[in-house]
Amino acid sequence: MARKLTVAAAVMLLGAMLAGCNTIAGMGKDMERAGESVQNAAKK
């Protein structure tokens, strides 16, 4: 039961990510921004 719930949550998360990015290029830009945020936080 827990495994099914985990898989369902992962599928929903993936769907939300893909819907938010719309394209592979958009996903790359999102990943780049996330990396920049981590770098900026590390500099502080």
Side-chain angles (χ1 to χ4, degrees), residues 12-29:
M12 290 190 310
L13 180 62
L14 181 61
M17 286 175 52
L18 291 176
C21 293
N22 288 328
T23 64
I24 298 299
M27 191 166 109
K29 289 178 183 178

Side-chain angles (χ1 to χ4, degrees), residues 3 10 13 16 19 24 27-28 31 33-35 37-38:
R3 182 175 169 92
L13 180 62
I24 298 299
M27 191 166 109
M31 294 291 280
R33 287 188 199 125
S37 296
V38 171

